[in-house]
Amino acid sequence: MSRRNGKKTKETRTIESLLKEHFPDYPKKYPPLACRYSPYSIRVRLVHDAFRGKGLADRDDLVLPIIRKLPEKTQADITMLLLFSPDEVNIPIIELDF
């Protein structure tokens, strides 16, 4: 997967590590991904089977407690949190965000 226009920073690597720690059985083809797109914008994508059949609110309930472990400034910079099951990741529009 490409990270169009996004870059890796200490913050994005921390986000990825935290998600890998809490979702260690993520699909190897789709590891947790975080990219900084501006000084005020980080986009995060997590693909995991735990999201299968769940609505958006339920997915958020699984991930937001983990995100809240990050520094407040990092949390505030996360402008996009994409949470997909493995069968949803092949939808073409998803790849446009990264």
Side-chain angles (χ1 to χ4, degrees):
M1 182 176 109
S2 67
R3 10 177 215 109
R4 297 178 201 152
N5 302 321
K7 67 178 184 175
K8 293 294 180 185
T9 65
K10 181 180 177 187
E11 288 174 306
T12 62
R13 287 187 291 276
T14 298
I15 293 166
E16 291 173 355
S17 293
L18 186 65
L19 292 174
K20 286 176 182 177
E21 176 185 329
H22 284 83
F23 294 90
D25 53 341
Y26 60 86
K28 299 306 174 201
K29 185 176 178 182
Y30 300 105
L33 180 64
C35 294
R36 181 166 283 287
Y37 281 79
S38 79
Y40 310 103
S41 177
I42 297 173
R43 296 179 187 177
V44 179
R45 184 202 67 190
L46 178 61
V47 178
H48 198 274
D49 198 52
F51 305 135
R52 190 181 310 273
K54 289 191 171 38
L56 297 177
D58 291 332
R59 294 173 191 211
D60 284 346
D61 289 344
L62 291 172
V63 177
L64 289 180
I66 298 162
I67 296 296
R68 289 186 184 113
K69 294 179 180 184
L70 295 164
E72 286 185 29
K73 182 194 177 318
T74 303
Q75 291 179 51
D77 285 353
I78 297 174
T79 57
M80 186 177 293
L81 182 60
L82 302 170
L83 306 172
F84 301 111
S85 68
D87 55 328
E88 295 169 330
V89 81
N90 291 322
I91 299 170
I93 191 74
I94 292 169
E95 291 299 320
L96 291 177
D97 293 313
F98 285 89

XYZ file of all heavy atoms in Angstrom:
805
model
N 0.843 -1.179 0.000
C 0.000 0.000 0.000
C 0.882 1.233 0.000
O 1.851 1.304 0.720
C -0.884 -0.001 1.238
C -1.814 1.171 1.263
S -2.904 1.082 2.643
C -2.221 2.381 3.603
N 0.528 2.172 -0.779
C 1.301 3.405 -0.817
C 0.826 4.353 0.275
O -0.264 4.230 0.785
C 1.155 4.074 -2.180
O -0.162 4.520 -2.353
N 1.682 5.321 0.609
C 1.282 6.361 1.547
C 1.419 7.682 0.824
O 2.298 8.482 1.101
C 2.067 6.377 2.838
C 3.232 5.558 2.917
C 3.970 5.726 4.229
N 5.371 5.608 3.912
C 6.234 6.596 3.926
N 5.866 7.784 4.278
N 7.472 6.412 3.604
N 0.540 7.892 -0.128
C 0.559 9.083 -0.960
C 0.561 10.348 -0.122
O -0.314 10.549 0.698
C -0.655 9.105 -1.881
C -0.681 7.968 -2.838
C -1.944 8.042 -3.661
N -2.185 6.732 -4.190
C -3.365 6.269 -4.493
N -4.425 6.990 -4.338
N -3.489 5.065 -4.976
N 1.537 11.189 -0.364
C 1.625 12.503 0.272
C 1.787 12.463 1.787
O 1.876 13.497 2.411
C 0.416 13.366 -0.080
C 0.273 13.545 -1.560
O 1.244 13.712 -2.274
N -0.948 13.483 -2.041
N 1.788 11.307 2.398
C 1.947 11.224 3.841
C 3.380 10.888 4.191
O 4.129 10.375 3.376
N 3.759 11.193 5.437
C 5.108 10.858 5.840
C 5.094 10.203 7.210
O 4.151 10.344 7.981
C 6.005 12.087 5.837
C 5.672 13.120 6.875
C 6.657 14.265 6.800
C 6.387 15.261 7.916
N 7.378 16.321 7.951
N 6.162 9.490 7.475
C 6.341 8.836 8.763
C 7.024 9.801 9.719
O 7.928 10.537 9.340
C 7.204 7.577 8.611
C 6.537 6.490 7.805
C 5.351 5.984 8.550
C 4.681 4.888 7.755
N 3.460 4.463 8.398
N 6.569 9.786 10.949
C 7.168 10.585 12.001
C 7.255 9.712 13.254
O 6.733 8.592 13.278
C 6.319 11.829 12.327
O 5.055 11.395 12.862
C 6.098 12.703 11.099
N 7.871 10.246 14.286
C 7.920 9.525 15.556
C 6.497 9.225 16.038
O 6.212 8.129 16.508
C 8.679 10.349 16.594
C 8.802 9.674 17.922
C 9.558 10.535 18.918
C 9.584 9.840 20.270
N 10.166 10.700 21.299
N 5.611 10.196 15.882
C 4.220 10.002 16.307
C 3.534 8.897 15.522
O 2.827 8.067 16.100
C 3.417 11.291 16.139
C 3.753 12.360 17.131
C 3.036 13.643 16.804
O 3.173 14.127 15.654
O 2.335 14.159 17.691
N 3.697 8.890 14.204
C 3.009 7.874 13.403
C 3.564 6.488 13.705
O 2.804 5.522 13.747
C 3.087 8.174 11.894
O 4.443 8.168 11.464
C 2.428 9.509 11.568
N 4.860 6.398 13.936
C 5.443 5.092 14.299
C 4.932 4.630 15.663
O 4.688 3.445 15.871
C 6.963 5.155 14.250
C 7.507 5.213 12.821
C 9.031 5.108 12.767
N 9.704 6.287 13.310
C 9.938 7.398 12.632
N 9.578 7.497 11.364
N 10.553 8.421 13.203
N 4.722 5.565 16.577
C 4.172 5.224 17.892
C 2.747 4.704 17.757
O 2.371 3.713 18.396
C 4.206 6.449 18.827
O 5.564 6.846 19.010
C 3.579 6.139 20.176
N 1.952 5.358 16.933
C 0.575 4.911 16.699
C 0.586 3.499 16.131
O -0.150 2.623 16.600
C -0.164 5.880 15.749
C -0.360 7.242 16.404
C -1.511 5.293 15.309
C -0.778 8.343 15.439
N 1.393 3.268 15.111
C 1.459 1.942 14.492
C 1.883 0.880 15.503
O 1.288 -0.202 15.561
C 2.420 1.971 13.310
C 1.900 2.773 12.145
C 2.899 2.950 11.019
O 4.074 2.535 11.157
O 2.504 3.523 9.995
N 2.874 1.179 16.308
C 3.351 0.218 17.317
C 2.261 -0.105 18.329
O 2.073 -1.262 18.711
C 4.578 0.758 18.042
O 5.659 0.852 17.170
N 1.557 0.919 18.779
C 0.487 0.719 19.751
C -0.620 -0.165 19.175
O -1.110 -1.086 19.843
C -0.069 2.079 20.176
C -1.098 2.073 21.291
C -0.484 1.573 22.598
C -1.664 3.475 21.490
N -1.003 0.095 17.932
C -2.052 -0.725 17.308
C -1.572 -2.152 17.062
O -2.336 -3.103 17.242
C -2.523 -0.062 16.010
C -3.292 1.252 16.203
C -3.573 1.900 14.860
C -4.572 1.028 16.989
N -0.322 -2.319 16.679
C 0.222 -3.670 16.490
C 0.236 -4.449 17.806
O -0.021 -5.645 17.832
C 1.628 -3.603 15.902
C 1.654 -3.220 14.445
C 3.078 -3.081 13.936
C 3.096 -2.651 12.484
N 4.461 -2.432 11.972
N 0.521 -3.738 18.881
C 0.543 -4.367 20.206
C -0.849 -4.855 20.606
O -1.003 -5.938 21.158
C 1.054 -3.348 21.225
C 1.053 -3.823 22.654
C 1.450 -2.727 23.620
O 2.246 -1.839 23.245
O 0.947 -2.748 24.760
N -1.876 -4.058 20.323
C -3.239 -4.398 20.729
C -4.001 -5.243 19.709
O -5.015 -5.851 20.043
C -4.022 -3.120 21.038
C -3.640 -2.527 22.344
N -2.540 -1.700 22.488
C -4.168 -2.656 23.578
C -2.427 -1.340 23.748
N -3.399 -1.899 24.429
N -3.535 -5.261 18.483
C -4.146 -6.061 17.418
C -3.044 -6.858 16.716
O -2.790 -6.668 15.527
C -4.874 -5.163 16.406
C -6.063 -4.453 16.980
C -5.942 -3.198 17.557
C -7.319 -5.054 16.954
C -7.032 -2.534 18.092
C -8.427 -4.400 17.488
C -8.284 -3.142 18.062
N -2.371 -7.772 17.449
C -1.201 -8.449 16.883
C -1.513 -9.389 15.722
O -0.623 -9.686 14.924
C -0.631 -9.220 18.071
C -1.797 -9.430 18.978
C -2.666 -8.212 18.802
N -2.747 -9.816 15.602
C -3.096 -10.744 14.526
C -3.720 -10.030 13.324
O -4.564 -10.585 12.631
C -4.006 -11.851 15.052
C -5.224 -11.317 15.788
O -5.215 -10.146 16.218
O -6.193 -12.080 15.953
N -3.267 -8.807 13.068
C -3.716 -8.064 11.889
C -3.256 -8.808 10.631
O -2.280 -9.564 10.677
C -3.157 -6.633 11.891
C -1.652 -6.566 11.875
C -0.934 -6.611 10.684
C -0.933 -6.485 13.062
C 0.451 -6.581 10.678
C 0.447 -6.452 13.057
C 1.129 -6.495 11.873
O 2.499 -6.460 11.856
N -3.951 -8.636 9.499
C -3.500 -9.277 8.257
C -2.100 -8.766 7.888
O -1.873 -7.552 7.835
C -4.532 -8.838 7.219
C -5.717 -8.393 8.000
C -5.186 -7.875 9.298
N -1.164 -9.643 7.662
C 0.223 -9.248 7.373
C 0.325 -8.368 6.128
O 1.213 -7.538 6.017
C 1.131 -10.463 7.251
C 1.195 -11.279 8.522
C 1.593 -10.427 9.718
C 1.503 -11.210 11.007
N 1.386 -10.390 12.189
N -0.613 -8.524 5.220
C -0.635 -7.687 4.016
C -1.058 -6.251 4.338
O -0.753 -5.332 3.583
C -1.595 -8.303 2.993
C -1.612 -7.607 1.655
C -2.507 -8.335 0.671
C -2.558 -7.592 -0.646
N -3.447 -8.234 -1.609
N -1.755 -6.067 5.459
C -2.281 -4.758 5.836
C -1.928 -4.426 7.286
O -2.792 -4.428 8.167
C -3.799 -4.705 5.647
C -4.225 -4.958 4.238
C -4.788 -6.169 3.868
C -4.047 -3.980 3.264
C -5.173 -6.400 2.552
C -4.433 -4.207 1.958
C -4.988 -5.424 1.614
O -5.371 -5.652 0.317
N -0.679 -4.118 7.552
C -0.322 -3.741 8.926
C -0.947 -2.393 9.286
O -1.299 -1.609 8.402
C 1.201 -3.635 8.867
C 1.507 -3.329 7.441
C 0.454 -4.039 6.634
N -1.092 -2.112 10.569
C -1.573 -0.785 10.963
C -0.712 0.289 10.308
O 0.512 0.161 10.228
C -1.396 -0.784 12.480
C -1.509 -2.231 12.853
C -0.836 -2.966 11.723
N -1.365 1.323 9.829
C -0.667 2.371 9.089
C -1.115 3.739 9.595
O -2.304 3.996 9.743
C -0.980 2.251 7.603
C -0.330 3.269 6.676
C 1.177 3.125 6.683
C -0.869 3.110 5.273
N -0.136 4.585 9.867
C -0.408 5.971 10.251
C 0.533 6.860 9.454
O 1.722 6.565 9.341
C -0.202 6.167 11.747
N -0.003 7.920 8.882
C 0.794 8.860 8.089
C 0.401 10.287 8.447
O -0.775 10.584 8.619
C 0.552 8.649 6.595
S 1.123 7.066 5.994
N 1.404 11.131 8.537
C 1.154 12.552 8.786
C 1.034 13.249 7.438
O 1.890 13.147 6.580
C 2.280 13.174 9.606
C 2.016 14.643 9.881
C 2.906 15.210 10.944
N 2.544 14.856 12.305
C 1.486 15.351 12.967
N 0.646 16.188 12.368
N 1.259 15.002 14.208
N -0.068 13.969 7.272
C -0.333 14.656 6.017
C -0.109 16.156 6.104
O -0.003 16.824 5.088
C -1.756 14.362 5.534
C -1.824 13.003 4.896
C -1.885 11.856 5.670
C -1.763 12.870 3.522
C -1.902 10.608 5.085
C -1.784 11.626 2.928
C -1.851 10.499 3.719
O -1.852 9.268 3.136
N -0.065 16.687 7.313
C 0.211 18.109 7.526
C 0.615 18.256 8.987
O 0.530 17.294 9.759
C -1.020 18.959 7.212
O -1.941 18.914 8.275
N 1.007 19.443 9.403
C 1.362 19.625 10.814
C 0.199 19.334 11.772
O 0.414 19.150 12.959
C 1.758 21.097 10.895
C 2.199 21.450 9.520
C 1.323 20.641 8.611
N -1.009 19.278 11.230
C -2.192 19.093 12.076
C -3.044 17.890 11.695
O -4.170 17.777 12.162
C -3.066 20.357 12.017
C -2.274 21.602 12.263
C -1.911 22.435 11.214
C -1.854 21.924 13.539
C -1.152 23.575 11.441
C -1.085 23.058 13.773
C -0.738 23.879 12.719
O 0.004 24.989 12.947
N -2.527 16.998 10.872
C -3.357 15.909 10.366
C -2.590 14.599 10.256
O -1.598 14.504 9.541
C -3.915 16.282 8.987
O -4.654 15.214 8.447
N -3.088 13.596 10.983
C -2.577 12.228 10.885
C -3.750 11.350 10.470
O -4.838 11.440 11.047
C -2.011 11.719 12.227
C -0.808 12.549 12.653
C -1.639 10.240 12.122
C -0.282 12.216 14.049
N -3.510 10.499 9.482
C -4.521 9.522 9.060
C -4.062 8.144 9.503
O -2.892 7.794 9.376
C -4.694 9.546 7.553
C -5.238 10.858 7.045
C -5.365 10.849 5.546
N -5.743 12.168 5.056
C -5.867 12.469 3.793
N -5.635 11.549 2.863
N -6.212 13.685 3.425
N -5.016 7.368 10.007
C -4.720 6.038 10.535
C -5.634 5.030 9.863
O -6.831 5.271 9.712
C -4.941 5.988 12.069
C -4.664 4.597 12.617
C -4.087 7.032 12.771
N -5.040 3.894 9.471
C -5.826 2.793 8.918
C -5.491 1.530 9.683
O -4.320 1.209 9.906
C -5.503 2.573 7.446
C -6.408 1.464 6.854
C -5.843 0.835 5.631
N -4.647 0.083 5.973
C -3.817 -0.434 5.089
N -4.021 -0.251 3.818
N -2.753 -1.111 5.465
N -6.538 0.820 10.119
C -6.374 -0.462 10.785
C -7.326 -1.462 10.147
O -8.532 -1.212 10.051
C -6.666 -0.336 12.289
C -6.582 -1.621 13.100
C -5.168 -2.222 13.047
C -7.010 -1.365 14.542
N -6.761 -2.559 9.706
C -7.548 -3.651 9.125
C -7.477 -4.807 10.110
O -6.375 -5.242 10.492
C -6.985 -4.073 7.750
C -7.785 -5.242 7.187
C -6.986 -2.892 6.785
N -8.635 -5.296 10.528
C -8.638 -6.393 11.497
C -9.966 -7.140 11.422
O -11.023 -6.545 11.182
C -8.423 -5.860 12.911
C -8.006 -6.913 13.865
N -8.896 -7.705 14.535
C -6.767 -7.328 14.220
C -8.234 -8.556 15.293
N -6.927 -8.348 15.108
N -9.901 -8.430 11.677
C -11.090 -9.274 11.629
C -12.098 -8.913 12.726
O -13.287 -9.194 12.596
C -10.694 -10.748 11.725
C -11.791 -11.662 11.243
O -12.290 -11.445 10.116
O -12.179 -12.578 12.003
N -11.643 -8.275 13.788
C -12.544 -7.888 14.880
C -13.629 -6.921 14.410
O -14.660 -6.784 15.067
C -11.744 -7.248 16.017
N -13.422 -6.267 13.261
C -14.395 -5.296 12.758
C -15.465 -5.925 11.874
O -16.441 -5.264 11.528
C -13.686 -4.185 11.977
C -12.611 -3.496 12.775
C -11.385 -3.237 12.207
C -12.823 -3.125 14.085
C -10.392 -2.607 12.927
C -11.841 -2.497 14.826
C -10.612 -2.233 14.241
N -15.285 -7.183 11.524
C -16.231 -7.864 10.642
C -17.636 -7.857 11.254
O -17.830 -8.252 12.386
C -15.774 -9.296 10.379
C -16.553 -10.001 9.288
C -16.076 -11.441 9.081
N -14.643 -11.558 8.938
C -13.956 -11.442 7.793
N -14.613 -11.172 6.687
N -12.650 -11.582 7.763
N -18.593 -7.366 10.482
C -19.993 -7.361 10.911
C -20.348 -6.292 11.932
O -21.475 -6.241 12.395
N -19.398 -5.440 12.278
C -19.657 -4.408 13.273
C -19.901 -3.060 12.588
O -19.332 -2.762 11.555
C -18.473 -4.279 14.221
C -18.327 -5.458 15.165
C -17.316 -5.151 16.238
C -17.252 -6.176 17.333
N -17.381 -7.541 17.007
N -20.732 -2.260 13.219
C -20.984 -0.909 12.731
C -19.845 0.017 13.130
O -18.939 -0.356 13.885
N -19.912 1.240 12.651
C -18.851 2.212 12.909
C -18.673 2.493 14.400
O -17.547 2.586 14.890
C -19.123 3.506 12.151
C -19.145 3.394 10.623
C -19.506 4.730 10.009
C -17.814 2.896 10.108
N -19.753 2.666 15.126
C -19.660 2.976 16.556
C -19.005 1.829 17.322
O -18.185 2.067 18.215
C -21.047 3.280 17.123
N -19.357 0.599 16.975
C -18.756 -0.555 17.649
C -17.263 -0.660 17.345
O -16.471 -1.024 18.209
C -19.461 -1.848 17.243
C -20.883 -1.920 17.781
O -21.151 -1.309 18.839
O -21.716 -2.584 17.149
N -16.877 -0.335 16.127
C -15.456 -0.351 15.764
C -14.709 0.715 16.559
O -13.631 0.461 17.099
C -15.290 -0.111 14.259
C -15.871 -1.234 13.422
C -15.857 -0.908 11.952
N -16.637 -1.878 11.212
C -16.391 -2.247 9.975
N -15.383 -1.723 9.304
N -17.142 -3.140 9.380
N -15.297 1.896 16.624
C -14.685 2.971 17.415
C -14.526 2.556 18.876
O -13.501 2.846 19.502
C -15.527 4.247 17.343
C -15.374 4.997 16.036
O -14.430 4.710 15.263
O -16.210 5.890 15.786
N -15.530 1.877 19.415
C -15.469 1.432 20.806
C -14.291 0.494 21.057
O -13.747 0.460 22.160
C -16.767 0.733 21.216
C -17.941 1.696 21.354
O -17.713 2.923 21.434
O -19.089 1.210 21.381
N -13.892 -0.256 20.045
C -12.754 -1.164 20.182
C -11.409 -0.430 20.128
O -10.442 -0.850 20.759
C -12.776 -2.230 19.077
C -13.878 -3.270 19.145
C -13.883 -4.119 17.873
C -13.690 -4.159 20.361
N -11.343 0.642 19.373
C -10.063 1.296 19.095
C -9.832 2.573 19.903
O -8.696 2.854 20.303
C -9.935 1.578 17.580
C -8.644 2.312 17.260
C -9.989 0.270 16.804
N -10.858 3.334 20.174
C -10.661 4.615 20.853
C -10.008 4.503 22.236
O -9.177 5.351 22.582
C -11.963 5.399 20.920
C -12.428 5.953 19.574
C -13.740 6.718 19.721
C -11.366 6.832 18.931
N -10.307 3.478 23.038
C -9.583 3.373 24.312
C -8.064 3.223 24.118
O -7.283 3.703 24.939
C -10.174 2.118 24.960
C -11.526 1.987 24.361
C -11.375 2.479 22.937
N -7.669 2.626 23.023
C -6.244 2.476 22.715
C -5.668 3.816 22.259
O -4.590 4.227 22.703
C -6.054 1.384 21.644
C -6.547 0.045 22.197
C -4.600 1.303 21.185
C -6.814 -1.002 21.151
N -6.392 4.509 21.401
C -5.956 5.818 20.920
C -5.809 6.794 22.092
O -4.901 7.627 22.111
C -6.947 6.373 19.865
C -6.975 5.472 18.622
C -6.648 7.825 19.511
C -5.677 5.408 17.850
N -6.656 6.660 23.083
C -6.606 7.563 24.238
C -5.358 7.374 25.092
O -5.079 8.189 25.970
C -7.875 7.407 25.068
C -9.078 7.985 24.351
C -10.326 7.987 25.216
N -11.440 8.466 24.433
C -12.489 7.710 24.081
N -12.563 6.449 24.458
N -13.462 8.218 23.358
N -4.588 6.348 24.839
C -3.314 6.145 25.535
C -2.203 7.021 24.956
O -1.149 7.168 25.562
C -2.894 4.674 25.452
C -3.829 3.750 26.198
C -3.392 2.310 26.070
C -4.357 1.414 26.830
N -3.916 0.021 26.822
N -2.455 7.592 23.802
C -1.475 8.457 23.145
C -1.481 9.843 23.791
O -2.479 10.233 24.414
C -1.825 8.596 21.655
C -1.746 7.327 20.832
C -2.474 7.504 19.501
C -0.290 6.947 20.607
N -0.409 10.608 23.613
C -0.416 11.995 24.106
C -1.589 12.768 23.504
O -1.996 12.526 22.358
C 0.925 12.547 23.616
C 1.794 11.346 23.414
C 0.867 10.246 22.987
N -2.115 13.717 24.247
C -3.278 14.482 23.797
C -3.051 15.174 22.455
O -3.947 15.213 21.618
C -3.689 15.505 24.855
C -4.369 14.873 26.044
C -4.877 15.894 27.042
O -5.210 17.025 26.643
O -4.943 15.554 28.235
N -1.861 15.722 22.245
C -1.577 16.396 20.979
C -1.663 15.416 19.813
O -2.216 15.742 18.758
C -0.209 17.066 21.003
C 0.075 17.815 19.708
C 1.526 18.206 19.572
C 1.835 18.886 18.262
N 1.237 18.344 17.072
N -1.153 14.218 20.005
C -1.218 13.199 18.953
C -2.667 12.824 18.685
O -3.096 12.734 17.529
C -0.393 11.960 19.338
O 0.953 12.357 19.594
C -0.429 10.914 18.238
N -3.431 12.620 19.739
C -4.856 12.291 19.573
C -5.563 13.387 18.777
O -6.348 13.093 17.876
C -5.538 12.169 20.937
C -5.105 10.982 21.758
C -5.816 10.971 23.088
O -7.040 11.083 23.150
N -5.059 10.840 24.165
N -5.282 14.624 19.106
C -5.949 15.753 18.444
C -5.590 15.828 16.966
O -6.390 16.309 16.161
C -5.579 17.057 19.137
N -4.408 15.356 16.604
C -3.971 15.412 15.208
C -4.545 14.278 14.355
O -4.437 14.319 13.133
C -2.441 15.390 15.127
C -1.811 16.714 15.511
O -2.555 17.698 15.708
O -0.573 16.764 15.616
N -5.128 13.267 14.962
C -5.721 12.171 14.186
C -7.043 12.667 13.616
O -8.036 12.828 14.322
C -5.912 10.898 15.032
C -4.555 10.375 15.492
C -6.670 9.828 14.223
C -4.622 9.202 16.443
N -7.017 12.946 12.320
C -8.198 13.490 11.658
C -8.988 12.427 10.902
O -10.126 12.664 10.514
C -7.801 14.600 10.671
O -6.876 14.072 9.728
C -7.187 15.775 11.413
N -8.362 11.289 10.671
C -9.040 10.217 9.962
C -8.629 8.891 10.594
O -7.448 8.590 10.710
C -8.664 10.229 8.482
C -9.449 9.241 7.659
S -9.043 9.327 5.901
C -9.673 10.933 5.491
N -9.620 8.120 11.022
C -9.396 6.808 11.620
C -10.232 5.810 10.831
O -11.451 5.748 10.988
C -9.781 6.823 13.093
C -9.583 5.552 13.900
C -8.111 5.131 13.904
C -10.077 5.747 15.332
N -9.566 5.085 9.943
C -10.246 4.127 9.068
C -10.105 2.732 9.658
O -8.991 2.236 9.841
C -9.630 4.173 7.670
C -9.676 5.537 6.979
C -8.831 5.516 5.715
C -11.101 5.919 6.667
N -11.235 2.099 9.943
C -11.253 0.784 10.584
C -12.027 -0.176 9.699
O -13.243 -0.051 9.547
C -11.912 0.893 11.966
C -11.322 1.954 12.903
C -12.175 2.100 14.153
C -9.880 1.620 13.238
N -11.301 -1.144 9.113
C -11.905 -2.048 8.143
C -11.687 -3.504 8.517
O -10.668 -3.850 9.106
C -11.288 -1.833 6.759
C -11.454 -0.447 6.234
C -10.373 0.395 6.108
C -12.697 0.029 5.866
C -10.514 1.684 5.628
C -12.852 1.315 5.387
C -11.759 2.145 5.272
N -12.633 -4.334 8.101
C -12.412 -5.771 8.176
C -11.629 -6.167 6.914
O -11.617 -5.418 5.930
C -13.743 -6.516 8.251
O -14.450 -6.388 7.033
N -10.972 -7.328 6.926
C -10.176 -7.722 5.757
C -10.972 -7.784 4.463
O -10.444 -7.456 3.397
C -9.639 -9.108 6.142
C -9.588 -9.072 7.633
C -10.794 -8.261 8.040
N -12.249 -8.148 4.517
C -13.038 -8.238 3.287
C -13.451 -6.866 2.754
O -13.894 -6.744 1.621
C -14.255 -9.143 3.465
C -15.145 -8.745 4.612
O -14.621 -8.220 5.616
O -16.359 -8.967 4.535
N -13.290 -5.810 3.538
C -13.638 -4.464 3.088
C -12.456 -3.716 2.477
O -12.640 -2.722 1.800
C -14.157 -3.637 4.265
C -15.443 -4.155 4.845
C -15.793 -3.498 6.161
O -14.886 -3.091 6.901
O -16.999 -3.412 6.441
N -11.262 -4.178 2.705
C -10.078 -3.420 2.312
C -9.879 -3.356 0.800
O -9.189 -2.475 0.312
C -8.825 -3.967 3.026
C -8.282 -5.194 2.342
C -7.778 -2.902 3.155
N -10.480 -4.210 0.048
C -10.316 -4.210 -1.403
C -11.260 -3.256 -2.121
O -11.258 -3.185 -3.342
C -10.486 -5.627 -1.963
C -9.347 -6.508 -1.537
O -8.200 -6.069 -1.468
N -9.641 -7.751 -1.203
N -12.041 -2.504 -1.382
C -12.920 -1.512 -1.987
C -12.038 -0.362 -2.486
O -11.295 0.224 -1.693
C -13.965 -1.019 -0.950
C -14.818 -2.201 -0.483
C -14.833 0.086 -1.556
C -15.713 -1.879 0.691
N -12.062 -0.038 -3.758
C -11.118 0.937 -4.319
C -11.062 2.286 -3.612
O -10.006 2.868 -3.485
C -11.602 1.101 -5.763
C -12.315 -0.171 -6.069
C -12.937 -0.599 -4.772
N -12.157 2.810 -3.122
C -12.150 4.128 -2.493
C -11.270 4.155 -1.258
O -10.698 5.178 -0.903
C -13.599 4.583 -2.157
C -13.632 6.050 -1.748
C -14.188 3.738 -1.067
C -13.454 7.004 -2.879
N -11.110 3.027 -0.601
C -10.302 2.960 0.612
C -8.855 3.329 0.328
O -8.221 4.058 1.078
C -10.415 1.559 1.260
C -11.827 1.369 1.795
C -9.374 1.376 2.346
C -12.152 -0.032 2.203
N -8.319 2.855 -0.747
C -6.924 3.129 -1.081
C -6.695 4.597 -1.446
O -5.580 5.085 -1.354
C -6.462 2.228 -2.224
C -6.348 0.771 -1.835
C -5.328 0.528 -0.727
O -4.253 1.152 -0.747
O -5.607 -0.270 0.169
N -7.733 5.325 -1.815
C -7.570 6.730 -2.167
C -7.108 7.559 -0.969
O -6.428 8.557 -1.126
C -8.885 7.293 -2.699
C -9.334 6.764 -4.050
C -10.685 7.368 -4.412
C -8.309 7.072 -5.124
N -7.470 7.166 0.225
C -7.121 7.929 1.409
C -5.657 7.803 1.783
O -5.148 8.581 2.569
C -7.989 7.494 2.587
C -9.430 7.882 2.361
O -9.683 9.041 1.970
O -10.294 7.034 2.568
N -4.980 6.828 1.246
C -3.578 6.638 1.547
C -2.798 6.578 0.258
O -1.741 6.228 0.125
C -3.359 5.361 2.372
C -3.780 5.536 3.804
C -5.054 5.278 4.213
C -2.860 5.995 4.734
C -5.424 5.461 5.537
C -3.225 6.175 6.047
C -4.513 5.901 6.455
